[in-house]
Amino acid sequence: MLFHVRMDVRIPHDLPAEQAAEILAREKAYSQQLQQSGKWRHIWRIAGQYANYSVFDVKDNAELHEILSGLPLFKFMQIEVTPLLRHPSSIREDDS
């Protein structure tokens, strides 16, 4: 299943810099691992915001929830999820 996910990050200003850096390093490693596995298909930064649009390709809602809740920045995020279906006019065979 494909899901369009918007993630807005709100790191508290009073979070110690070294703690924030450690969380960000774990976040990057986790997200890159998911990208390499094909589960995190696309990620785009939203210009001028600490936010992104992403597309996930996972088995079901439960797997997506497990992935998102495993993000090191999860507790600092507002997340919106939209399930996607292949459009009948799509010419791309990999849009499943």
Side-chain angles (χ1 to χ4, degrees):
M1 284 183 84
L2 296 178
F3 293 90
H4 175 269
V5 180
R6 179 180 172 137
M7 295 178 234
D8 291 272
V9 182
R10 305 276 192 279
I11 297 175
H13 297 293
D14 60 349
L15 187 68
E18 55 278 349
Q19 187 178 355
E22 185 271 331
I23 293 170
L24 291 170
R26 286 190 296 119
E27 181 82 11
K28 182 175 183 176
Y30 182 65
S31 70
Q32 289 180 345
Q33 174 191 22
L34 288 164
Q35 290 173 66
Q36 290 168 352
S37 76
K39 293 190 181 290
W40 197 325
R41 227 183 199 193
H42 301 283
I43 182 171
W44 295 276
R45 166 134 317 146
I46 301 172
Q49 299 178 36
Y50 195 172
N52 73 74
Y53 286 124
S54 294
V55 175
F56 287 84
D57 189 356
V58 294
K59 183 177 69 170
D60 55 24
N61 296 339
E63 184 179 19
L64 180 65
H65 179 76
E66 181 179 330
I67 287 170
L68 294 177
S69 62
L71 290 166
L73 286 172
F74 180 75
K75 65 183 175 181
F76 305 121
M77 291 181 169
Q78 178 179 341
I79 299 174
E80 292 179 27
V81 176
T82 305
L84 300 173
L85 297 170
R86 185 173 190 277
H87 195 283
S89 296
S90 176
I91 62 169
R92 308 223 185 279
E93 293 302 318
D94 65 343
D95 284 348
S96 56

